[in-house]
Amino acid sequence: MVSKDFPSEFGQSCEPTELKRDISLARQTGRLQIVSIPPRPKMSRSALFATTFLISTALAAIGPTGTLTLTNGDSFSTPTHLLTLSRGDEFNINVVDSLTNETMLLSSTIHWHGFFQPNNSYQDGVAFVTQCPIAVNDSFLYTFPTNDQAGTFCDLRGPLVVYDPEDPHADFYDVDDETTIITLTDWYHGPASTLGVVPTLISTLINGLGRFAGGPTSQLTVISVTQGQRYRMRMINTACDPNFTFTIDGHTMTIIEVDSVNVEPLTVDSIQIFAGQRYSFVLTADQAVDNYWIRTVANGGTTGFDNGINSAILRYVGADEVDPTTDVSTSTAALVETDLHPLVATAVPGTAVAGGADVVMNLAISLDFTTFLFEINGDTFTPPTVPVLLQILSGAKTATELLPTGSVFTLPANSVVELSIPGGSAGAPHPFHLHGHNFFVIKSAGNDTYNFDNPVIRDVVNTGTSTTDNTTIRFVTDNGVFSTGSRRVEFLGSNTFSSHIDFHLELGLAIVFAEDTDTISTSTQSTAWDDLCPAYDALSSDEL
């Protein structure tokens, strides 16, 4: 989650700039307690996900212990970060807020996208849901165990990889390192506040580099391979908005991981990837030594590949350092989500019928064309003045007690939850992310049937473009963590379920699930977490 501003030729990305809050807190008997909650001020909904991202030509690896400093930079010279761990490591990253550009939010948080955070919801990093933002010139140490999780994650602007020493797919590839990570993102050439209600991307960036129509023939990302070797490519969509269809001329891709979950190998020739989703695929360098276009087709912005736009280069060792001349081909084996199945058979919770769960909810998305705000079941999400977790710690436990009104749903512990999301709403398709859990996609967009046998397990799902779509997922409330919204739907002990499209989240497309509030209300947090809200509340308006 990220604030953003980059004074460069490419301009800025997509974080709103407006944020104000005013809460009164006091410390009583060793814990924070809400003394008063004044009327909600006008604030950016995307303040929920205020952190900074840096895009560049190189990856600077840190982890599992280190410091991540948030600074302003430009797309040509600022190194981005790669966080690497091994399964079972403890994660200790001190996030330092050193932002200076006042056209963006200066306060920040980082959500560690894909990590469950069991019994650690205060480490989930969702502003105004699990914490107050980190004040400018301040820091916060995120520390949590990775437990048994491994695979490809992100903080939504940088890759985060947990390597598995016992990877069941290890025999499928020869190389898996920082050179085989692929990030896809959008670039808008201007501050978010100037982009209008429906921004249109100007550049597609692959690993931080790209060209734009009418622009210079600037450097493109080059992925180097050796003929005969097999590469585990970890692809992450870190975009604010678009989904991309990804291809590599002359090559197929064998998918082995989806959103950090191992799947049965599936060979395809194109992958549609939505914001926040991750795929690992094996690329076999079995073609002639040459250069091959890597192509991304976004669902917005300038189309085509003239002068290398929407492209990167796959270069075999020994090939000339020139742009490829390969021709685009028609896909004959595109990825279909229902063809993905978990490598380890896992029973779908509940009974094998639609609605066969303890809690069944329909989440109807609509757009109010008067206010131009999104609604879920008639309510627009507005960030609360006090983080939801802090509200629960201070005694609020029911949906009627928790703010924002109409956007917080309480869920019982150890129950099966089924969520159905009709497709075809304005701005569709919406990628939704659930915090704190993976879920079973028992009905995918574009499919008419339910799968209660072996559906894909993931944490970001596409809701579909057709009004006949009804994407349906199931999960068990066995964590006690939070979630939110459209680009991100998150669940957190107070969990957020939200759209993973930043602009839609800014327009209110999110909800919060307060899961097992009895347990959360007795949880403990670090003193540093307690100090976040007083520090943030003390900021002047130009420091927010």
Side-chain angles (χ1 to χ4, degrees):
M1 322 305 157
V2 180
S3 300
K4 39 271 185 189
D5 171 61
F6 302 94
S8 70
E9 179 176 349
F10 281 121
Q12 296 180 333
S13 183
C14 48
E15 178 66 21
T17 59
E18 199 177 79
L19 171 65
K20 297 176 80 72
R21 71 185 289 277
D22 179 23
I23 65 175
S24 177
L25 300 172
R27 191 175 296 275
Q28 294 185 3
T29 62
R31 58 180 291 188
L32 285 173
Q33 180 174 345
I34 299 173
V35 175
S36 65
I37 304 176
R40 268 173 283 174
K42 183 178 180 182
M43 73 170 76
S44 164
R45 291 172 180 81
S46 290
L48 275 172
F49 308 105
T51 55
T52 300
F53 69 87
L54 307 173
I55 293 179
S56 77
T57 60
L59 294 174
I62 60 174
T65 297
T67 298
L68 182 60
T69 302
L70 309 181
T71 60
N72 301 110
D74 64 68
S75 61
F76 295 105
S77 61
T78 306
T80 191
H81 54 272
L82 163 64
L83 303 179
T84 62
L85 307 89
S86 293
R87 190 180 68 178
D89 282 351
E90 182 173 88
F91 185 93
N92 291 280
I93 297 295
N94 190 42
V95 175
V96 180
D97 188 330
S98 297
L99 301 174
T100 57
N101 192 311
E102 294 183 359
T103 66
M104 63 184 286
L105 292 173
L106 298 181
S107 300
S108 56
T109 71
I110 291 185
H111 164 58
W112 311 101
H113 183 84
F115 283 100
F116 299 156
Q117 305 291 6
N119 303 311
N120 285 293
S121 58
Y122 78 101
Q123 294 282 343
D124 197 48
V126 185
F128 301 110
V129 180
T130 58
Q131 69 171 90
C132 282
I134 305 166
V136 64
N137 299 320
D138 204 350
S139 65
F140 181 69
L141 177 65
Y142 288 95
T143 178
F144 53 87
T146 56
N147 298 310
D148 200 39
Q149 288 189 264
T152 308
F153 306 83
C154 59
D155 63 19
L156 295 188
R157 286 301 177 270
L160 200 168
V161 177
V162 180
Y163 292 100
D164 186 354
E166 300 178 357
D167 179 13
H169 289 305
D171 289 342
F172 280 82
Y173 56 85
D174 306 303
V175 182
D176 176 22
D177 58 24
E178 67 275 6
T179 69
T180 64
I181 295 172
I182 301 171
T183 60
L184 310 178
T185 197
D186 43 356
W187 205 251
Y188 292 85
H189 298 223
S193 58
T194 68
L195 299 180
V197 177
V198 185
T200 300
L201 72 95
I202 305 300
S203 302
T204 293
L205 305 183
I206 301 176
N207 285 359
L209 296 177
R211 299 171 185 170
F212 60 95
T217 305
S218 55
Q219 180 183 357
L220 294 175
T221 288
V222 176
I223 296 175
S224 179
V225 296
T226 298
Q227 190 180 49
Q229 293 286 291
R230 302 167 302 167
Y231 296 82
R232 178 177 181 155
M233 301 292 183
R234 297 176 183 265
M235 182 168 62
I236 307 168
N237 184 343
T238 64
C240 295
D241 185 351
N243 66 77
F244 300 98
T245 299
F246 180 92
T247 60
I248 303 176
D249 286 359
H251 294 76
T252 58
M253 300 165 283
T254 300
I255 297 171
I256 58 173
E257 176 212 351
V258 175
D259 295 355
S260 76
V261 179
N262 290 317
V263 296
E264 296 176 357
L266 176 67
T267 299
V268 300
D269 60 13
S270 69
I271 298 173
Q272 186 176 22
I273 181 170
F274 293 83
Q277 290 185 335
R278 295 91 66 203
Y279 288 98
S280 281
F281 61 85
V282 176
L283 176 78
T284 301
D286 57 1
Q287 299 300 303
V289 172
D290 205 343
N291 294 286
Y292 298 83
W293 282 120
I294 298 171
R295 305 178 190 267
T296 59
V297 178
N299 65 323
T302 306
T303 60
F305 308 102
D306 291 348
N307 194 37
I309 65 172
N310 304 320
S311 301
I313 298 170
L314 181 74
R315 176 168 294 153
Y316 279 64
V317 172
D320 294 335
E321 296 185 4
V322 296
D323 279 1
T325 58
T326 52
D327 295 326
V328 62
S329 57
T330 301
S331 173
T332 58
L335 169 62
V336 177
E337 187 175 63
T338 52
D339 289 337
L340 294 168
H341 305 293
L343 182 65
V344 177
T346 306
V348 176
T351 57
V353 294
D358 300 313
V359 178
V360 179
M361 298 177 62
N362 185 68
L363 304 179
I365 299 170
S366 58
L367 180 65
D368 186 323
F369 285 95
T370 301
T371 62
F372 216 76
L373 295 176
F374 280 103
E375 298 174 344
I376 295 180
N377 293 351
D379 286 298
T380 295
F381 186 87
T382 301
T385 54
V386 175
V388 179
L389 177 56
L390 182 52
Q391 295 178 51
I392 294 173
L393 294 174
S394 300
K397 292 185 179 181
T398 66
T400 56
E401 297 175 305
L402 293 165
L403 299 175
T405 301
S407 294
V408 180
F409 297 85
T410 54
L411 299 177
N414 301 312
S415 299
V416 179
V417 178
E418 179 175 304
L419 303 179
S420 295
I421 311 172
S425 58
H430 301 284
F432 269 80
H433 170 51
L434 176 64
H435 289 211
H437 301 275
N438 288 328
F439 49 74
F440 296 79
V441 185
I442 59 175
K443 189 170 186 289
S444 294
N447 190 267
D448 295 329
T449 60
Y450 289 86
N451 182 352
F452 300 103
D453 183 22
N454 59 353
V456 66
I457 302 170
R458 62 186 320 158
D459 62 37
V460 181
V461 70
N462 148 47
T463 63
T465 57
S466 171
T467 55
T468 61
D469 282 326
N470 192 31
T471 301
T472 306
I473 66 173
R474 277 194 194 167
F475 64 97
V476 177
T477 55
D478 55 2
N479 190 349
V481 290
F482 287 99
S483 41
T484 34
S486 167
R487 174 175 179 170
R488 311 162 173 81
V489 176
E490 310 167 46
F491 286 90
L492 49 168
S494 197
N495 294 315
T496 307
F497 190 68
S498 65
S499 165
H500 221 277
I501 294 176
D502 283 342
F503 302 119
H504 296 174
L505 180 59
E506 166 70 2
L507 298 176
L509 190 51
I511 58 175
V512 170
F513 292 98
E515 177 183 323
D516 190 8
T517 54
D518 287 339
T519 298
I520 291 298
S521 66
T522 61
S523 63
T524 59
Q525 291 71 40
S526 66
T527 300
W529 183 89
D530 286 348
D531 293 340
L532 286 171
C533 285
Y536 181 76
D537 195 43
L539 296 174
S540 62
S541 59
D542 60 352
E543 293 176 311
L544 294 175

